[in-house]
Amino acid sequence: EPEVTQTPSHQVTQMGQEVILRCVPISNHLYFYWYRQILGQKVEFLVSFYNNEISEKSEIFDDQFSVERPDGSNFTLKIRSTKLEDSAMYFCASRGQAETQYFGPGTRLLVL
Amino acid sequence: AQSVTQPDIHITVSEGASLELRCNYSYGATPYLFWYVQSPGQGLQLLLKYFSGDTLVQGIKGFEAEFKRSQSSFNLRKPSVHWSDAAEYFCAVGLIGTGANNLFFGTGTRLTVIP
């Protein structure tokens, strides 16, 4: 069964450093998403991406964040200058024409 | 603004007992409704979903959920809980007709199963 994959599973970085989180969505899916979950809190929507552009973004997704689909398979989330409060689990999700989103296993980011 | 409420932060049940996890949503129309499960250190796995039609939906692992429009609820149930069901359960709402259809999640309910 096809699944969404994410790398790395864990990343530790210093405050102010750039990080890139990578996702490989399910191959025939058209919509791509990033969510985050701060420890102990609910999962929050960050951004959606369709047809090579951002469809929607939340207020969390400020200028420090960017997304890219550099080739036909990868979908990345970049945080330019990480802050302590960016520490969270980041989930990638994808969906096809149907409304169901399928989530990856997540990347746990720790900013020191 | 849309919101999803899971009033129970933590529930403990005995193995073999029945389970009901509550979810209420606030939205001006009928949304898409989902239940996801997150085992420790794992991602979010879809348990079941409701889009339209029969208000009682069946999911994986023996779970079911019932949509009640009058109560704006989508409670998750299982008649007999197994120890492997211990996890965090998230109710989520997707908004119909919003294009990309991002999901809004509740705060989750942590389920503990005791022998």
Side-chain angles (χ1 to χ4, degrees):
Chain A
E1 185 177 328
E3 57 183 21
V4 178
T5 59
Q6 291 185 242
T7 54
S9 58
H10 293 79
Q11 179 145 5
V12 181
T13 189
Q14 295 290 325
M15 190 169 56
Q17 295 297 303
E18 174 184 287
V19 296
I20 297 177
L21 310 183
R22 290 183 169 79
C23 168
V24 179
I26 294 173
S27 64
N28 61 347
H29 281 185
L30 305 172
Y31 297 85
F32 313 110
Y33 306 82
W34 284 101
Y35 294 81
R36 78 170 185 192
Q37 183 184 29
I38 295 172
L39 188 65
Q41 299 185 23
K42 65 180 176 182
V43 178
E44 301 173 290
F45 167 74
L46 291 178
V47 65
S48 59
F49 193 85
Y50 171 72
N51 200 25
N52 284 318
E53 62 183 22
I54 291 174
S55 308
E56 223 171 318
K57 58 183 180 179
S58 72
E59 58 193 22
I60 302 168
F61 193 87
D62 61 22
D63 292 344
Q64 293 299 312
F65 292 88
S66 62
V67 290
E68 192 178 31
R69 189 156 161 81
D71 52 43
S73 60
N74 290 282
F75 179 52
T76 62
L77 174 69
K78 182 193 291 187
I79 309 175
R80 288 191 186 80
S81 177
T82 50
K83 308 182 191 71
L84 296 177
E85 55 264 37
D86 293 327
S87 295
M89 179 77 95
Y90 287 82
F91 291 106
C92 174
S94 71
R95 72 172 177 96
Q97 292 290 359
E99 297 298 337
T100 302
Q101 294 181 28
Y102 294 90
F103 284 78
T107 294
R108 184 169 294 284
L109 175 66
L110 178 61
V111 182
L112 301 176
Chain B
Q2 54 279 339
S3 66
V4 182
T5 302
Q6 292 180 249
D8 304 306
I9 296 173
H10 187 198
I11 284 182
T12 300
V13 299
S14 299
E15 191 168 16
S18 63
L19 171 71
E20 182 169 27
L21 303 182
R22 296 182 290 166
C23 173
N24 293 92
Y25 67 89
S26 172
Y27 180 53
T30 301
Y32 298 127
L33 297 159
F34 304 84
W35 275 98
Y36 286 87
V37 60
Q38 184 182 31
S39 297
Q42 303 297 310
L44 297 166
Q45 181 182 23
L46 179 70
L47 280 177
L48 47 76
K49 60 195 177 193
Y50 173 79
F51 291 167
S52 65
D54 192 347
T55 56
L56 184 64
V57 293
Q58 303 296 322
I60 62 171
K61 304 184 181 185
F63 285 92
E64 66 178 27
E66 185 172 13
F67 169 58
K68 293 185 177 180
R69 184 190 307 273
S70 61
Q71 298 176 17
S72 297
S73 68
F74 189 57
N75 293 349
L76 181 71
R77 300 194 295 249
K78 186 169 184 177
S80 177
V81 169
H82 188 262
W83 64 266
S84 61
D85 293 325
E88 185 102 20
Y89 291 80
F90 292 94
C91 181
V93 163
L95 304 181
I96 296 174
T98 59
N101 193 24
N102 48 286
L103 297 178
F104 295 88
F105 283 82
T107 50
T109 298
R110 180 170 300 279
L111 175 65
T112 297
V113 181
I114 56 177

